[in-house]
Amino acid sequence: MIPRTIAREGEVIVFIDQTLLPGRLETVRCTDPERLATAIRRLEVRGAPALGIAGAYGVALAAMQSEAGDMEGFLAGLVDAAGYLRGTRPTAVNLGWGIDRVLAAAGTAETVESAKEAAVAEADRIAAEDEATCRAIGRHGAALIPDGARVLTHCNAGALACSTWGTALGVVRSAVEAGKEVSVTACETRPLLQGARLTAFELAEDGIPVRVITDSTAAFLMRRGEIDCVVVGADRITRDAVFNKIGTYMHAVCARHHGIPFYVAAPLSTFDTVRSEAEVVIEERDEDEIAVFNGRRIVREGVRCTTYAFDATPLDLVSGIVTEEGVFRPPFDLMPEPRNI
């Protein structure tokens, strides 16, 4: 069994280093919020719900380690930690959501000691809620998956992107748990291959049939009739678009052209209906993620590489958004406001 992606053991945060998968399944024991920020930046911890938990535990770590003798100094330390944690991944809304929940919980306390307890309790609550949320998403989404379905997914929206179970892959797991025959086609997901490395690993561990393709093969398989539906996760859902790993938009366009349902599975904490697509900063990664392969530069020196981490899919290409409270369908007039922000 794959251990929980991220969890707390006393004053230690334990997380899977996902950069080592699938070759090595190793956990890191983290006692420093700055180390946790580095892990987020390096994608040792990644995936929207897992980032919410990591952000929460990062602030909780800062709270546990604080030596401040008064609330003003204590809260100033937490705000400082929140700032560098928040800056690691600007596009994913769950990171800030988890940070802000713990800050708010600590801010209501009257003493430093009670504020520390409140911060840790809120972070634990966020982690516990995640599994229940993913299970509920899975149950609602499983009803959309026909028996015998061949599901295309992009990147990794599974247990490794949450504390356990997953969002998009939670839908697949729940459909299988309900007795349906389901197979998955996982896009490799350039440039860091989260589909090939992580999604295929998870599903193989569960015994769910999976094959890996290059991202550019998906449209060809749709045209051949080898894909029945697309299920992906999300890092932010604004009032007009779904932000997810770069490459998601092209799958949505191709799915619409071929008459294939395109579903997004995400918790309500991923919704940011205050903003529109144009107001969201899309993270750009280091060009070496494209230019360097296997320790060797494969792009000529001096040639520019553009490495967007995410793209935006307009809501008019989405067949349904699966949440813990049910499925939102077009025209998405009843989209929820983000909670606990």
Side-chain angles (χ1 to χ4, degrees), residues 46 153-157 186-189 194-196 199 244-245 248:
R46 32 71 49 204
T153 194
H154 190 70
C155 197
N156 172 262
C187 294
E188 62 175 352
T189 317
Q194 290 104 323
T199 293
N244 194 48
K245 179 58 62 179
T248 302

Side-chain angles (χ1 to χ4, degrees), residues 139-187:
R139 287 193 299 274
H140 292 302
L144 302 172
I145 308 300
D147 193 15
R150 297 161 297 178
V151 177
L152 178 81
T153 194
H154 190 70
C155 197
N156 172 262
L160 291 167
C162 307
S163 64
T164 187
W165 201 247
T167 53
L169 295 191
V171 170
V172 170
R173 287 186 168 99
S174 295
V176 171
E177 191 175 65
K180 296 179 179 179
E181 295 286 336
V182 181
S183 62
V184 175
T185 296
C187 294

